[in-house]
Amino acid sequence: MSRTIKFAQAGGPEVLEFVETQVRAPAPHEVRIKVKAIGINRAESMWRLNDYIEPVKFPAGLGYEAAGIVDAIGSEVTGFGVGDEVNLIPSFSMNDYGTYGEVIIAPEHAVVKHPKSLSYAEAASVWMMFVTAYGALIEDAKIGEGDYVIIPAASSSVGLAAIQIANYAGATPIALTRTSGKRQQLLDAGAKHVIATEETDLVKEVMRITDGKGARIAFDPVGGPTLTKLLSALSFNGTAYIYGALSPETTALPVLDMIAKMTSVKAHNIWVTSGDETRRKAAVEYVLTGLESGALKPVIDREFTFDEMVDAHRYLEQNGQFGKIVVTV
């Protein structure tokens, strides 16, 4: 028997319930895992609210990331064995699988070997943040030396991953934060420049930093009115990747300005990378190499216990964290 977290209706953190279940044997291409740690993501909060990129089928489970130990394998699984330490990379629908449980079932394609240098909590934190940023910045934008990258919501886990990946690629990360309260933390995390958007003119400051040329890339999870400013801060032929909608306000596009500067807005999500076997393997190799070299590092804001999952979701929705929230099991 295993405790698993489910919810029967959309709502706040209080709709999450502990359910005692008998975890089935894995199907031929599945793995059963005893969970040691769970990474908590904004996507799961949106899923709980039934406000995500696909509709929820109730009663529902949730969770994209976990680290743990293989408990059983399906008859056709060849890459893993019982007792292996493993992680899950987000590459499945939460209507089909979830990680919020003491023992879980996962598809074989989503399972990766556990990086030996990381704790379970650290390993549960890295895959969503680094693969999401990798997909836009490395796989698609191919950032490198001489590029400036604007990173809104820079203190989020994906924002911090984008800072690290920009530095790893030789580009210059420009971190955005609302006030100066997290300026030093962001500089310590690798940001070359930090702009407090409620205290400074965003466009003017980016133009000052880039000698009037603008940044080639913006990597934005917010949308709303700030997107117009981001587009104005881009260089000719610059691109804004939008991978979230944290702003509740309308996201408008300055079409004539975009035409004049030939700027682009591209929607982005992790599935572009993790949903394709070749791309997923390349991303995993990139992240593992970065972790081994020290160029990429997990950033954990706070740990909760499994019994505190509701509190973990409440904390997530306060939007005050610096890095990843992790739940230990």
Side-chain angles (χ1 to χ4, degrees):
M1 300 296 290
S2 166
R3 288 190 304 160
T4 301
I5 294 176
K6 303 280 188 180
F7 62 108
Q9 62 182 10
E14 66 279 357
V15 302
L16 299 177
E17 298 179 322
F18 289 90
V19 179
E20 195 84 12
T21 59
Q22 181 69 49
V23 182
R24 62 177 174 81
H29 289 284
E30 292 178 334
V31 175
R32 194 169 67 195
I33 299 167
K34 289 184 177 179
V35 175
K36 297 295 185 181
I38 303 165
I40 308 301
N41 296 289
R42 177 69 57 178
E44 292 138 28
S45 170
M46 297 172 69
W47 180 256
R48 195 199 66 234
L49 292 165
N50 200 11
D51 193 23
Y52 195 46
I53 57 176
E54 62 175 318
V56 177
K57 297 176 183 178
F58 297 103
L62 70 172
Y64 273 137
E65 291 180 287
I69 301 171
V70 174
D71 173 59
I73 61 172
S75 60
E76 297 184 29
V77 172
T78 58
F80 305 95
V82 173
D84 284 353
E85 294 182 307
V86 295
N87 308 160
L88 288 189
I89 180 172
S91 55
F92 48 84
S93 167
M94 286 187 283
N95 278 321
D96 298 326
Y97 299 96
T99 63
Y100 285 23
E102 294 171 326
V103 179
I104 62 172
I105 296 288
E108 180 185 12
H109 72 260
V111 183
V112 296
K113 292 291 182 68
H114 178 85
K116 294 299 183 183
S117 63
L118 302 185
S119 68
Y120 287 123
E122 289 172 329
S125 77
V126 298
W127 295 106
M128 176 70 89
M129 60 187 279
F130 285 121
V131 176
T132 301
Y134 162 89
L137 301 182
I138 302 301
E139 192 175 58
D140 198 81
K142 297 177 173 59
I143 61 170
E145 188 173 349
D147 286 328
Y148 289 87
V149 182
I150 305 173
I151 305 169
S155 57
S156 69
S157 59
V158 178
L160 292 168
I163 290 172
Q164 293 184 30
I165 285 176
N167 283 324
Y168 191 22
T172 301
I174 302 172
L176 304 190
T177 183
R178 287 176 295 175
T179 70
S180 296
K182 295 179 180 178
R183 177 184 296 276
Q184 191 57 51
Q185 280 181 290
L186 288 167
L187 291 171
D188 293 342
K192 294 299 189 292
H193 305 274
V194 178
I195 301 174
T197 57
E198 293 180 1
E199 302 169 9
T200 307
D201 186 306
L202 166 60
V203 178
K204 286 183 179 179
E205 188 64 8
V206 170
M207 290 301 170
R208 182 192 68 79
I209 292 167
T210 62
D211 294 324
K213 297 176 182 178
R216 185 168 77 85
I217 300 296
F219 184 54
D220 180 32
V222 182
T226 302
L227 184 64
T228 298
K229 296 179 182 179
L230 290 177
L231 293 172
S232 295
L234 291 180
S235 63
F236 186 80
N237 272 335
T239 301
Y241 292 87
I242 185 159
Y243 68 97
L246 293 177
S247 174
E249 299 181 63
T250 300
T251 301
L253 295 178
V255 175
L256 292 179
D257 290 344
M258 292 173 65
I259 292 172
K261 292 175 64 177
M262 294 292 290
T263 50
S264 302
V265 176
K266 300 184 75 170
H268 176 70
N269 68 51
I270 193 172
W271 306 113
V272 174
T273 304
S274 68
D276 177 271
E277 183 178 3
T278 301
R279 290 179 173 182
R280 182 172 62 248
K281 287 181 177 178
V284 169
E285 183 62 31
Y286 180 93
V287 173
L288 289 175
T289 301
L291 290 169
E292 289 168 5
S293 71
L296 305 182
K297 300 176 183 179
V299 182
I300 296 176
D301 174 88
R302 183 172 170 183
E303 294 183 21
F304 291 82
T305 67
F306 190 56
D307 288 332
E308 297 173 320
M309 184 63 80
V310 171
D311 293 330
H313 269 242
R314 289 194 179 112
Y315 182 69
L316 172 71
E317 293 181 347
Q318 291 172 6
N319 299 318
Q321 73 267 21
F322 190 91
K324 193 84 166 194
I325 299 167
V326 175
V327 167
T328 55
V329 182

